Amino acid sequence: MEKLKWELGSNIPYGESCVYCSTSEVMARECSFTGYVSPNGGQVGRAATTVNRGCCDLWDCKFHNFEMVINCFGAGHIDIIETELGGEYGGSKYGVFTDLGGVAMLSDKVPATLGSGGNVTRNGGVIIQGGKFI
């Protein structure tokens, strides 16, 4: 997919993702992902979720206003990659959430928390950037 725009609205169910990938592969380039901010200021939704060995590559994308930007669990894998075009990040509660063997790989130019308040790793989930676990 290239240059698509996802924007979540006020009626999305809890935990909804713009892209949900299970046992397959998705690639998105120069896309825009925007979550929903409720009237009380809480962020809702996720840009991408992978599970069951699903893989998602997000190149030079924009991410704003999510509960969590990316969610990798059940051996799901997400790569956030920036080239000379760059990406854009901000306004999210969590950047990366990995659980149950989920793997997130961030290229060197990507902010470690994807412009959010922090990351969460648990139950064997990992985040790797620059060849190091973060």
Side-chain angles (χ1 to χ4, degrees):
M1 298 177 278
E2 290 188 40
K3 300 180 181 178
L4 296 177
K5 181 179 179 178
W6 283 274
E7 191 168 317
L8 301 177
S10 61
N11 59 346
I12 67 161
Y14 177 78
E16 187 70 31
S17 295
C18 296
V19 174
Y20 184 90
C21 183
S22 175
T23 64
S24 59
E25 183 176 355
V26 171
M27 180 182 283
R29 290 181 178 266
E30 299 178 55
C31 293
S32 173
F33 300 87
T34 305
Y36 175 74
V37 179
S38 69
N40 68 2
Q43 299 94 333
V44 179
R46 292 119 194 235
T49 294
T50 56
V51 64
N52 299 328
R53 303 196 187 286
C55 180
C56 190
D57 295 335
L58 305 172
W59 293 70
D60 299 317
C61 294
K62 298 176 182 180
F63 306 96
H64 295 283
N65 301 331
F66 288 99
E67 176 195 13
M68 60 184 72
V69 179
I70 61 171
N71 180 24
C72 309
F73 68 95
H77 181 120
I78 296 178
D79 295 329
I80 305 288
I81 301 161
E82 277 192 31
T83 66
E84 64 281 353
L85 299 175
E88 193 175 296
Y89 315 86
S92 297
K93 183 175 181 180
Y94 298 107
V96 180
F97 186 92
T98 61
D99 194 7
L100 298 172
V103 177
M105 306 260 311
L106 310 178
S107 69
D108 291 342
K109 295 179 183 179
V110 174
T113 62
L114 305 181
S116 74
N119 296 328
V120 176
T121 58
R122 62 183 191 191
N123 298 316
V126 297
I127 304 168
I128 300 169
Q129 185 176 40
K132 299 177 184 173
F133 292 99
I134 59 171

